[in-house]
Amino acid sequence: MSVQEVEQGRLRSPFYPRQSELDRLNLWHEWKGFSSADGFFDTGLEYFSVRNSTGVFDISPMTKYRITGPDSLDFIDRLVTRDMQKIRPGRVAYAAWCDDQGQVIDDGTIFHLREGEYRLCSQERHMSWFRAAAIGMDVDIADETLDIAALAVQGPTSYSILRQLDIPGLDELKPFGLLHADFEGSELMVSRTGFTGDLGYEIWIETKQAVPLWDALFEAGRLYGIRAIGTAALDLARIEAGFIQAYSDFLPANATVRPGRSRSPLELGLDWLVDFKKPVFNGRRALAKEKRRGSTWRLVKLDIEGNKPAHHSYIYPAPSGQKEVGFITSAAWSPVCKQNIALGSVRTPHGKPGDRLWVEIYYQREMHWSRVMAEATVVEQPFWNPARRRATPPGPY
Amino acid sequence: MAERYDAIVVGAGHNGLVCAALLAKGGKKVLVLEANERVGGAAVTREFADGYSVSSCAHLLYQLQPQVEKDLGLKPALVASGLHTVALAKDGKHVRIVGNEVSGAGQDDADSYRRFHARMCRYADLLKTYVNQTPPRLGRDAPKGDMLTLARLGFDLRRLGRTEMREFLRLIGMNIYDEVVERFGSQLLRGAISLDAVTGTHLGPRSPNTILTYLYRLAGRHAELCQPAGGMGGIAEALAERARSFGAVIRTGMPVRRIVVENGRAAGVECENGDAFSSWLVVSNADPKTTIMKLVGTRHVETGFTHRIHHLRMRGNVAKLHLALDGLPSMSGVDKREYGDRFIIAPDENYVERAFNHAKYGETSASPVFEITFPSFRDTSLAPTGKHVMSAIVQYAPYALREGWSEKSKKAFIDTCMQVMADYLPDLAGRVTATELLTPADIESQFHVTGGHWHHGELALDAFLFTRPVGGAAQYAMPLDGLYLCGAGAHPGGGVSGAAGRNAARQILKREKSV
């Protein structure tokens, strides 16, 4: 009797035919109904491809909504905290959206594809909330997650690789810009966006053209160190870039039960996304109050002494470790920065840039647990933020 | 430059008038804009046939809060008070109810009713305190005053005594059916109490919290039935007179198209005829759905709030049937001088529940329940000499009738009503010279109440006190600066009580002072 594969009731990415050829680890997890790879060959090497050449991460499972209709701008402008009037067609906005209590439901990117036509991408699904937000507005919201295949092409050589595909306007494409091009008769959308904090692009195409696009991309990248990467490499890169993630660094407000377990954008370091000049947006009244009274929590980026990642650690104001003031939400040893880095949530007034805090790190050596109280400095800038991320046109590497 | 007022009240319903009067009394320059040609909203008397007039919606006054009368110096003109309720029986052996007395149901039921009535009134008195004030806000950052109110509510409950408090808490979420079946033997009495608990709602006697709706009816004046002079319009006119005397300007025939929102706050209103008026204070007597979805526009408020307002239950179920009669119809077992009383057709509690069954599925009741009055019996201004009008509240006639409200479906429902009433008023049909049926759809279009719902939203435990109309907006202030609600959709609810209007005015004056 032969051994049968267990059906898991998960969707496969449109890129699966190619991913499966590269897969040597068989490490897959569930991402919103899809199977998504932790890694394909070696997660460490995959990570280094993002920082030194190009890593390709499959973002097809990401939730994608197409928002159209006469009220699409009004709808989005009320939905998110930032001013969407400023986002012209051909531009992309990183944004967060809140409930009426000013607590973050999720964050994501909003692509202004054409006048009045938007694509909103997020980790979680939000149709019911968006439907509620659309009451009384002439707007059409369609989930196009299954219709669009997408790849994040990230790393210093990503520009050189995409140049091989003869995409008009690529040279002038600025960070958070997008363009439409033709790929074998289908519309290819290219945006200069990503989740790695490095030079990089995301490319989007209808699902049936997924494999031809993959093939063309990997052919173009053959001499530029292109490599498929999984979530493990991406997660490390995003912590270095200081990007937060739902279910790691905050819980979607609608997934919390206990009071105080959700976070406002002000508590997640997203103040710059909150535009109080807008007369109305979801959460405005609550956030204005919070702004006046002060927030309870603050998101911190920590540079920690030593080399042991501070996973799940408590944060203390003093090495005595008497009274904790917060906890770590994401932690890693950063190979490219050679720093022990973490993101965490601490109670105000602690956690101002430059503050010194202490984290209690537990680690295991041959089964036995040890504990170290490590000093941590609150830093303001992302740990990894190279100039090439912003250069237009990007240089060849 | 639009004319500027301190406050604009949208809608001259009775609550709008109470609110406007109190705001004007408080020193505000107030403008009231009413869509219809007459003040009163649904509290109005209209001529429905040549020479025949009747209260278009509510026809008996039993909830007008004494505090409202006191604050306004209002003395409502009544042609009768302390009306009896006559629960009609086909065989003429009617049961009569007034105050705590029941006759015709036997000594046991008379005793039970006295006890039942005393207890219900005790609970209603407790409720009355809270009906006549802004409900406290709950939550961690609730103001001190609200915490005190809440503490007092707890204290008042506790003061009922251990047994009574338990009984109150047991009853408040319960249905009236279980209670009447447990307490009374007389089916007519059970039916009558059941009817009082469900009038104006999308509830049957077996629906939860129909004891609450019964208590709500008693809160204020223990539901002493009065007939206002000139119909309910008389009350509205009196309120308008009080409002004007304090300096409020009332303009009728001025439907408001939208509430103007500027820079995230209410800034005035714009009428259908293009006239615009400015004010930093806009008080809406319209129902919450009309106010938010139509007049303000959802884009000016936040999503969670919009969603809750959108889902308010506003399924009106009450029809009003008006008949012009060339003489009083005969009723066996009813004395001539009793014709000024209130007659009900609700022969037992199951009859009422069965009548409701149809409404659940978008049908009119095959055997509806009735509350019948002959207002012209005591008030001769309502009909030509020697002639009479009949005003009947008929349940259930669902707003969302499956086949849709049309002349045909209205005719069919009138026929049903006449057929049922024929058992009790055998010569009624022969005396009818004109008929008017107002379905919830008519009430919606003529009185601008979403769903034609009496209470501007179901009166239920999930939409009561702290959560009426919805959580986070229960203190009359809407989550849009400068916008308030003062109608039945706000706490405490519908009925000609004036409580919502009074509470709203007091809350507005208090808040404006603190700003």
Side-chain angles (χ1 to χ4, degrees), chain A residues 269-339:
Chain A
L270 303 178
D271 330 31
W272 63 282
L273 285 181
V274 183
D275 191 340
F276 285 110
K277 286 202 281 298
K278 284 203 293 181
V280 66
F281 59 83
N282 291 332
R284 188 189 189 283
R285 292 169 71 87
L287 290 171
K289 200 172 181 185
E290 181 182 327
K291 182 106 184 148
R292 280 199 310 275
R293 292 183 176 181
S295 305
T296 308
W297 294 94
R298 177 183 279 142
L299 181 109
V300 289
K301 302 185 192 74
L302 293 177
D303 179 4
I304 302 165
E305 66 174 349
N307 60 5
K308 298 171 188 70
H311 296 299
H312 315 300
S313 297
Y314 272 131
I315 301 173
Y316 297 96
S320 59
Q322 300 248 310
K323 182 173 176 276
E324 81 268 11
V325 292
F327 46 87
I328 299 292
T329 54
S330 297
W333 166 256
S334 164
V336 71
C337 303
K338 304 284 182 284
Q339 272 176 306

Side-chain angles (χ1 to χ4, degrees), chain A residues 71 74 78 99-100 129 132-133 135-138 259 277 279-285 289 293, chain B residues 137 140-141 263-264 293 298-308 310-311 478-481:
Chain A
D71 287 339
D74 283 357
R78 186 184 65 150
D99 61 12
D100 290 16
W129 179 249
I135 294 169
M137 296 210 198
D138 188 358
K277 286 202 281 298
V280 66
F281 59 83
N282 291 332
R284 188 189 189 283
R285 292 169 71 87
K289 200 172 181 185
R293 292 183 176 181
Chain B
R137 204 166 77 205
R140 278 183 302 174
D141 52 352
N263 212 8
M293 319 291 292
T298 55
R299 69 197 59 206
H300 296 298
V301 290
E302 298 181 14
T303 293
F305 174 68
T306 307
H307 189 240
R308 291 197 291 275
H310 182 65
H311 287 286
M478 294 294 100
L480 177 73
D481 290 346

Side-chain angles (χ1 to χ4, degrees), chain B residues 10 256-261 266 268-270 282 284 291 295-296 483:
Chain B
V10 180
V256 170
R257 183 195 300 153
R258 67 184 189 103
I259 292 169
V260 179
V261 178
V269 302
E270 201 179 277
V282 177
S284 177
T291 303
L295 297 177
V296 171
L483 179 69

